[in-house]
């Protein structure tokens, strides 16, 4: 019950009810197989080395992971050039729309990232958060239970970490380049507007 269209599409796939369209879509480039059911991947190298169920990836290398390991992801929607590319460990129930949205993060769970580089290159996890706008929360430390809206809001932010759960940044450059306070200071949710 699988549909594979394109050179090397679905190579080493062992799941059922999958649709892979495009060169190397849904392929495993290392030993072993790509396990998972009910996945749709459209685009060159989309969902490469990705194992899991109920995923939709559209775009070049969308939801693709390292050629050295396989990453388990479930119920992910990745739309755009390299959206969710390089997620390093288990991820689930998240949406990334835009070029490199939520790309190269450790793990992404229950989150929405919309915009070019939104929540991209996070040095930690993205969990139960929303990042919307060009480069929102790009290269931040963590993004946990937070809402970040506006171009470059939270960009290169080393302040919003796991200790700062529930932070809200709204507006162009809100929280841009904030530095993490000493560990002796009390931490908590932050609200930064403008």
């Amino acid at each position: 019950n699988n549909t594979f269209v394109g050179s090397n599409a679905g190579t080493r796939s062992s799941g059922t009810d999958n649709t892979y369209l495009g060169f190397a879509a849904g392929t495993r480039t290392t030993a072993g197989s790509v396990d998972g059911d009910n996945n749709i991947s459209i685009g060159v190298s989309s969902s490469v080395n990705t194992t899991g169920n109920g995923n939709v990836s559209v775009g070049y290398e969308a939801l693709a992971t390292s050629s050295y390991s396989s990453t388990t992801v479930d119920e992910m929607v990745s739309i755009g050039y390299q959206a969710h590319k390089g997620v390093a460990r288990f991820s689930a129930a998240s949406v990334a729309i835009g070029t490199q949205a939520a790309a190269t993060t450790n793990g992404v769970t229950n989150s929405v990232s919309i915009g070019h580089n939104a929540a991209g290159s996070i040095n930690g996890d993205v969990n139960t958060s929303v990042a919307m706008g060009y480069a929102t929360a790009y290269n931040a430390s963590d993004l946990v239970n937070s809402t970040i809206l506006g171009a470059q809001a939270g960009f290169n932010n080393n302040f919003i970490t796991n200790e700062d759960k529930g932070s809200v940044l709204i507006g162009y450059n809100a929280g841009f380049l904030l530095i993490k306070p000493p560990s002796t200071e009390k931490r908590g949710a932050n609200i930064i507007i403008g």
Side-chain angles (χ1 to χ4, degrees):
N1 296 335
N2 293 312
T3 303
F4 304 149
V5 177
S7 179
N8 296 327
T11 302
R12 295 186 179 157
S13 175
S14 63
T16 60
D17 298 319
N18 295 307
T19 301
Y20 298 130
L21 305 174
F23 174 79
T27 298
R28 175 77 184 251
T29 59
T30 57
S33 63
V34 176
D35 299 318
D37 303 320
N38 305 306
N39 297 301
I40 299 171
S41 296
I42 301 171
V44 172
S45 298
S46 60
S47 294
V48 166
N49 295 322
T50 301
T51 296
N53 301 303
N55 298 301
V56 175
S57 59
V58 178
Y60 176 80
E61 292 184 344
L63 200 57
T65 61
S66 166
S67 60
Y68 305 108
S69 64
S70 177
T71 299
T72 301
V73 296
D74 290 315
E75 300 170 352
M76 303 282 281
V77 176
S78 310
I79 300 173
Y81 173 85
Q82 296 182 337
H84 278 141
K85 181 188 178 194
V87 173
R89 61 175 172 238
F90 177 78
S91 296
S94 294
V95 175
I97 300 174
T99 297
Q100 296 181 332
T104 63
T105 60
N106 283 339
V108 183
T109 308
N110 303 319
S111 296
V112 176
S113 306
I114 299 175
H116 180 90
N117 279 328
S121 293
I122 299 286
N123 296 319
D125 293 315
V126 178
N127 186 357
T128 318
S129 293
V130 175
M132 293 178 66
Y134 169 77
T136 52
Y138 180 80
N139 201 34
S141 293
D142 279 301
L143 195 58
V144 179
N145 299 335
S146 296
T147 301
I148 308 212
L149 307 172
Q152 295 183 330
F155 181 90
N156 206 27
N157 191 315
N158 197 18
F159 184 63
I160 298 177
T161 66
N162 198 25
E163 294 90 12
D164 305 306
K165 295 177 182 175
S167 292
V168 176
L169 282 71
I170 299 174
Y172 174 73
N173 280 343
F176 185 87
L177 291 174
L178 282 177
I179 305 300
K180 185 177 179 180
S183 60
T184 58
E185 291 187 22
K186 292 202 175 212
R187 308 285 292 274
N190 301 288
I191 298 175
I192 301 172
I193 299 175

